[in-house]
Amino acid sequence: MEKMTIENSVSFLPMAMVLVGSLVEGKANFMAVAWVSAVNRKPPLISIALGPHYTNKGIEANQEFSINVPSVNLAEETDYCGCVSGSKVDKSGVFELFYGKLKTAPLIKECPLNIACKVYQTLTLPSNTVFIGEIIETFAEERHLTDQQPDMLKMSPFTLTMPDKNYREIGKDIGRAWQIGKNLKERG
Ligand SMILES: Cc1cc2nc3c(=O)[nH]c(=O)nc-3n(C[C@H](O)[C@H](O)[C@H](O)COP(=O)(O)O)c2cc1C
């Protein structure tokens, strides 16, 4: 099949949806974020790429933020937090909140996975600010774990796909990672 060039985009890979929380002027605020990525194992670092949003004010002032992983039943609330700004609408009551050690990283009770971060490094790019957070605490509920580890089938997070702009849940298993590739080696 012949290849043709298409539009360049940074958004063509499926992206996990999260809700980033910060405390802005003393009030919890959450925004929808698709640009989230693991960047280092030890120390555990995770990055979020943000445009110039209201949320940033809180992160910059407190040097703390939260990453909350919503399950599919929170798709509407997640989208809402991506459609309206805390500068105009108070989003502090959309979810039930709790706090861990980091008192300016608001966490969402309804989300099955909550990650509280301290800013480790901030990178200023032409249109985005990348906040690299060191994970200080992670919260989950027993019912979403298997062998004390997060179980994605129980948590049921969802992704964003572009350019169709759809939220999609995780699909069926197609094989074990770090394992099925060995079949090729064995076949020679
Ligand atoms: C599906 C979806 C994904 C989004 N992903 C990002 C993102 O990765 N980075 C970003 O800066 N904004 C992203 N946004 C936009 C912000 O969530 C949106 O502008 C939000 O209203 C900002 O909230 P705030 O003004 O209260 O901080 C996304 C919005 C949606 C709906």
Side-chain angles (χ1 to χ4, degrees), residues 34-48:
W35 291 11
V36 56
S37 182
V39 286
N40 198 68
R41 189 184 301 278
K42 275 187 189 169
L45 304 179
I46 190 161
S47 72
I48 50 171

Side-chain angles (χ1 to χ4, degrees), residues 29 31-35 49-51 53-55 81-82 84-86 91 167:
N29 189 63
M31 68 177 275
V33 169
W35 291 11
L50 307 188
H53 296 297
Y54 185 69
T55 298
C81 290
V84 299
S85 174
K91 292 186 262 184
Y167 296 122

Side-chain angles (χ1 to χ4, degrees), residues 98-116:
F98 71 103
Y99 291 85
K101 282 185 219 160
L102 304 184
K103 298 304 173 200
T104 57
L107 302 159
I108 299 176
K109 271 198 190 156
E110 293 90 329
C111 288
L113 190 65
N114 315 94
I115 300 167

Side-chain angles (χ1 to χ4, degrees), residues 21-30 54 90-93 97 99 106:
S22 73
L23 210 65
V24 191
E25 287 154 12
K27 200 177 268 182
N29 189 63
F30 296 95
Y54 185 69
D90 178 2
K91 292 186 262 184
S92 65
L97 309 183
Y99 291 85

